Amino acid sequence: MDSLEKVKKGLSIYADEGREAYEAYLKELLREDQLAAEVLEVAILTHISELSSAVRKGSQVYRSLPDDPRLSAYFAGVMGKAYRMMGEIEASENYHLRDLEASEAIGDKDGVFRARTNLLHIRFCRGEYELLYKEIKSALKNKELPDDYYARYHLAFLEIIKGEPDKVLRIIKTLKHSEDKRFYYFGSIEIKGLALRLMGRLEEAMACYEESAEGMVRLGAAYSAFPCAKALELSRLAGLPKPPRRLISACLSLGVKGSWGEQAAAQAIQALNNPDNEKCCSMLFEAAGGYKRAYHLLEAFTSGLLSAQIAWQIESPLFAKILRFLAPLAPAHPGFRKDPLLGRFLTEIYPLLTSGSGRGNEHSIRAYLIGEMRVLVDGKEIPIGSWRRKKAARALVYLLLSPKHRLPQDHLFYLLWPRRKYDERSREGLYSVIYTIRKGIGRPELLTKRRDFYQLEDVWTDLDELELLIRKADAAQDTDDRVENLSLARSIAKDELLPEIIDDHYIEEYREYYNRLRRRIFSSSG
């Protein structure tokens, strides 16, 4: 039995026999094959959503992997999943591409399929819906996938986004479920619920959401919070009875322990259970932000839209802020203009979302990360290079680079002190770093603490702008628009990303991602 087979055996023991049997196996494996034991530990940490610990340990293990291409490819996939669940989508893509490259090199068809499936999901997370739709359609037509289940599953979600519920129901009927796809079986019932909602068959939609949530709870899946939140949303909008209290409680309990997206769904459950409209509005908007940071853009849009409707009804000052949040999401989700519950409201506010009034061009923090690094706050350059506490400057760079400019506090700690234990005593160093950043930028309110995350507020970076221009170019129907956006992207991407910082693993992940963007835009026609 090689190292990879030992890892897979450990995963099976954890799933079938429980924690105690797994720990006994792990103890034995540590003596027999330490590398396999460490890979197994990272896989389990990812499975139980202890993501910062998984990434910290996994980064160290990955750099020390011997020349074992099968194990390296598999472990790259594990790391890609951990980073994706953290919302670190760029680093996740890097690892899945490494998985693909290694699997192709050794002719591992299962590994190639695994990597390609994960990369399809990355496109979905980014909201690259048009490109993904074409890619899946092409793969299905040419029969390129050994198992087209996951492609069809994503295609059903894409038809929801396009507003084609009849096609969704037809796709779901073609899905051939098996024992190893139980999670996706209950996920497909959730998708069916979305389609039925768009068709106005609200009681049937509610039944689907409840069935999906019940099934996920039986699996012990924190994802159960997603269909539960959708059921509560339907209840609030249509006046249908809520799911059973025990089901709501179970989904909430699982959700708060899950990934960042599942925690956002748990926030949505709490919001929708609150009878006070003002509190529900603010809590639901916070949940929408959590969904967006975790790259669950469909849920971010629908939760944000409902919070906007409530804000409009109660004349809340949050309404303008919610509009700014919804502005980039609305054009990507045209199907919900057909929604019988929120479609009319969306149509009414759509001019506000697309006219530019919902978003501002000015940001409190503007950071240039390509070429010579510069950070400006309210137009004034901040001399972070001269800060006495160098780790504070590095932490600010990490926050500027990270998706949505937020990092879990334990992950930020491990990035700064990778070999120190994260405990009450060592946390003092992190607090000191945060204090230095707040003092250095001159506006402490721009670095907030949200639950277990540190978040920079109101930020623009040239890397964000580059990504936006590429998305616009990809989605452009007009050739002139595509050419213009690509031209602007090339003007930004002339230099290296943070060339003054070397030998930093986290920054290297983003440099690899940035270089991939550069190759893409400079090789594109237009």
Side-chain angles (χ1 to χ4, degrees), residues 447-492:
L447 176 51
T448 58
K449 177 103 172 353
R450 296 175 178 267
R451 294 179 179 254
D452 295 329
F453 297 85
Y454 283 112
Q455 163 106 32
L456 287 174
E457 306 288 350
D458 197 20
V459 183
W460 175 95
T461 74
D462 49 1
L463 182 58
D464 291 340
E465 185 71 12
L466 178 64
E467 292 174 320
L468 177 62
L469 289 167
I470 292 173
R471 283 198 297 271
K472 285 182 175 179
D474 288 339
Q477 302 295 317
D478 183 82
T479 301
D480 290 341
D481 286 345
R482 173 178 168 79
V483 170
E484 181 183 359
N485 284 308
L486 282 174
S487 177
L488 290 170
R490 289 171 187 141
S491 69
I492 292 174

Side-chain angles (χ1 to χ4, degrees), residues 122-190:
I122 292 290
R123 281 202 185 280
F124 184 80
C125 290
R126 281 216 184 95
E128 297 175 353
Y129 300 140
E130 287 297 326
L131 279 176
L132 179 58
Y133 190 83
K134 292 174 184 176
E135 190 173 337
I136 289 177
K137 281 287 193 178
S138 174
L140 292 174
K141 180 180 179 181
N142 298 321
K143 298 181 179 180
E144 297 173 3
L145 303 170
D147 181 349
D148 64 10
Y149 182 96
Y150 302 103
R152 291 183 182 277
Y153 187 88
H154 278 99
L155 187 62
F157 258 123
L158 293 171
E159 296 291 7
I160 288 287
I161 289 162
K162 291 167 75 72
E164 301 288 349
D166 290 327
K167 291 182 181 179
V168 175
L169 296 183
R170 288 199 293 271
I171 292 168
I172 288 174
K173 285 182 181 179
T174 70
L175 293 177
K176 296 179 180 178
H177 305 292
S178 57
E179 184 65 20
D180 65 325
K181 296 185 175 74
R182 286 180 297 166
F183 175 91
Y184 292 97
Y185 167 72
F186 293 116
S188 71
I189 295 173
E190 177 196 17

Side-chain angles (χ1 to χ4, degrees), residues 17 19 24 38 41 109 214 226 262 287 299 363 375 413 426 429 449-450 456:
E17 302 177 37
R19 184 90 192 191
E38 290 176 336
E41 281 186 280
K109 293 182 179 179
E214 290 275 15
F226 276 77
E262 289 153 351
E299 285 77 12
H363 295 79
V375 179
F413 176 88
S426 62
K449 177 103 172 353
R450 296 175 178 267
L456 287 174

Side-chain angles (χ1 to χ4, degrees), residues 425-441:
R425 184 176 178 181
S426 62
R427 242 175 278 185
E428 293 297 325
L430 182 58
Y431 298 152
S432 181
V433 161
I434 297 302
Y435 171 79
T436 300
I437 296 174
R438 286 172 172 158
K439 183 178 179 181
I441 62 178

